[in-house]
Amino acid sequence: MVKKIKGTFLLTLFFLFPPIYGWGQNGGGWDEEDYIDVAFSIPEIALIDMEPSNVHVKLSLKEQVNPGEAVEIGDGEDNSIWINYTSTLSSYSLGRSINAQVTYGTVPPGISLYLSASEYKGNGKGSMGSPTGTISLSNSPQTIISNIGRCYTGNGKNKGHRLTYTIEVTDYSKLEYSEASDLQVTYTISDI
Amino acid sequence: MTCRLLIQLVTFDSMNRIFLLIVFFLLVVGATGQPLVVTTSGGPSFHSSVFSLTEAGKNFKSRAVSQTKGYLDVTSTNYWYNYYSNYRWRISVYRYDVIWAQELSLQIKRVSNGTRVSNSGSISGGKSWISVSNIPQYFFKGSGAWSNIKLNFRLQNVSVLIPADDYQTTLVFTIYED
């Protein structure tokens, strides 16, 4: 009888009050864990713009006065525009490049319109692109800056790459008098 | 007859001893067993604008504070503990990375005590930002049972120089007897 009462008492202790001795808790030791998940995405970004914006570049030839002499270049060069860019890439991306092409109008016959980008300058950070040298602008895209990695050039004038436009008479036989020709040059940053 | 009585007495005493030992064992384990658990809810979320740009040449803002908060409960399944005990404890935290960039720093701080569940208790520490690493580190400590201890989170060193990816880590909170 005494045994039965004791047994019942023990069973009651054991099964009805498990919290008293910590049964059912994590391992029964003095440590317990829980978790909070943290998740976010850094997207791939490729942005370029010109600084200052909405600036028109004006290049011209001088009016010929003396027959037989070479045509003089008037405003033959402009380097007032800078190109800024920001580029984020995944670990698997090879990099980016910037192409330029004439997307409105055509370069007048007998004249070449050249474009070059300077080495990077500014207070940005990261893997900046490398200028590819001078290109003769046309309606086909051509690379002016290559091997852009993850970087930002800084925003504004005197940051990024200075762009230089020049014109040159390359074929007098095709040279024609014309009123001003408007051209639009479009820059595109794209994955390699 | 005397001998038989003696055997019965010895047996009875042994049973008593065993009974008392078991009761003692349960009481000791009950007194020293783990009464506290830490439970989390909520968590950080970062607005998509943190990782977007509208102006070429710029970097992301280096610091991003979570829009939402996380919460910790320090309670027990032991009824008596929840209301009358005043056990001292401490919380540690570490980061278990799934996908992470080492340049990124995930920081955490406690922004409120929450609500005290036990009759007495206190909380201290954890009110300044700490960078959570992959090694458990002390976060804050206290005594008694509490609910809705509010936490805030932020990212440091956010930059376009960090590879674009879907980052994921887990903050692991552990409660210890102090």
Side-chain angles (χ1 to χ4, degrees):
Chain A
M1 184 63 181
V2 174
K3 280 168 122 179
K4 200 172 180 182
I5 291 169
K6 284 174 186 169
T8 308
F9 177 66
L10 289 175
L11 281 172
T12 306
L13 275 178
F14 199 81
F15 289 108
L16 297 185
F17 300 104
I20 289 175
Y21 52 87
W23 182 46
Q25 298 184 25
N26 220 11
W30 247 106
D31 64 320
E32 171 76 23
E33 289 182 349
D34 207 355
Y35 317 94
I36 288 180
D37 289 325
V38 182
F40 58 89
S41 298
I42 295 181
E44 290 208 28
I45 292 173
L47 282 176
I48 53 171
D49 71 5
M50 303 294 152
E51 296 288 348
S53 58
N54 298 320
V55 167
H56 293 262
V57 172
K58 188 180 175 186
L59 303 171
S60 63
L61 301 177
K62 277 188 176 173
E63 197 173 330
Q64 189 65 6
V65 180
N66 300 315
E69 289 185 355
V71 175
E72 288 186 55
I73 305 295
D75 299 318
E77 182 176 303
D78 184 286
N79 57 13
S80 61
I81 297 177
W82 291 72
I83 189 166
N84 299 163
Y85 52 86
T86 295
S87 168
T88 65
L89 291 166
S90 75
S91 301
Y92 314 104
S93 300
L94 298 173
R96 293 196 169 104
S97 60
I98 295 175
N99 295 334
Q101 69 183 112
V102 176
T103 51
Y104 174 81
T106 51
V107 179
I111 292 174
S112 287
L113 174 60
Y114 296 110
L115 172 69
S116 65
S118 70
E119 292 290 337
Y120 165 76
K121 182 184 173 187
N123 58 356
K125 280 186 179 173
S127 179
M128 305 296 175
S130 307
T132 55
T134 302
I135 61 167
S136 178
L137 279 168
S138 68
N139 298 105
S140 300
Q142 296 173 78
T143 301
I144 57 160
I145 299 169
S146 64
N147 297 321
I148 297 169
R150 285 185 286 273
C151 63
Y152 62 99
T153 58
N155 180 43
K157 208 172 172 185
N158 300 319
K159 289 164 186 149
H161 301 259
R162 184 195 285 268
L163 299 176
T164 301
Y165 293 93
T166 52
I167 54 170
E168 184 182 292
V169 178
T170 49
D171 190 342
Y172 280 88
S173 68
K174 293 179 180 172
L175 205 57
E176 295 173 356
Y177 172 80
S178 68
E179 297 292 333
S181 297
D182 287 333
L183 303 178
Q184 184 178 64
V185 179
T186 299
Y187 295 83
T188 309
I189 184 167
S190 54
D191 292 351
I192 291 173
Chain B
M1 181 67 179
T2 310
C3 185
R4 197 173 163 186
L5 187 65
L6 190 63
I7 290 168
Q8 276 187 341
L9 279 171
V10 168
T11 309
F12 185 77
D13 283 348
S14 299
M15 289 303 293
N16 266 342
R17 280 193 199 118
I18 292 166
F19 172 75
L20 287 171
L21 273 173
I22 291 171
V23 171
F24 179 72
F25 173 77
L26 289 173
L27 288 173
V28 167
V29 172
T32 58
Q34 177 201 18
L36 286 170
V37 290
V38 62
T39 310
T40 62
S41 58
S45 62
F46 299 97
H47 196 274
S48 58
S49 64
V50 170
F51 308 106
S52 66
L53 290 170
T54 54
E55 184 78 43
K58 288 187 173 178
N59 193 8
F60 296 136
K61 285 183 181 170
S62 171
R63 182 181 294 169
V65 179
S66 170
Q67 287 183 296
T68 53
K69 305 290 187 288
Y71 299 90
L72 290 185
D73 291 349
V74 177
T75 54
S76 174
T77 52
N78 181 331
Y79 173 86
W80 298 107
Y81 176 79
N82 266 342
Y83 295 99
Y84 302 109
S85 183
N86 197 22
Y87 283 15
R88 286 186 301 173
W89 45 261
R90 63 192 157 89
I91 301 276
S92 76
V93 62
Y94 70 94
R95 213 182 67 221
Y96 179 80
D97 299 335
V98 182
I99 301 172
W100 196 254
Q102 290 310 311
E103 304 93 317
L104 277 171
S105 172
L106 178 60
Q107 300 186 319
I108 187 171
K109 74 172 179 179
R110 182 174 64 85
V111 291
S112 85
N113 287 355
T115 306
R116 195 179 67 227
V117 177
S118 51
N119 282 342
S120 62
S122 64
I123 295 186
S124 63
K127 300 284 268 185
S128 302
W129 291 108
I130 59 165
S131 292
V132 183
S133 70
N134 299 120
I135 299 166
Q137 63 191 104
Y138 166 75
F139 185 18
F140 63 92
K141 64 182 179 179
S143 61
W146 296 79
S147 66
N148 291 319
I149 301 167
K150 194 187 284 186
L151 310 176
N152 203 0
F153 311 87
R154 77 179 182 189
L155 291 169
Q156 286 267 71
N157 305 328
V158 179
S159 170
V160 298
L161 307 185
I162 294 169
D165 212 331
D166 298 323
Y167 290 98
Q168 192 182 341
T169 190
T170 299
L171 290 171
V172 183
F173 298 90
T174 311
I175 187 164
Y176 297 97
E177 181 181 18
D178 197 24

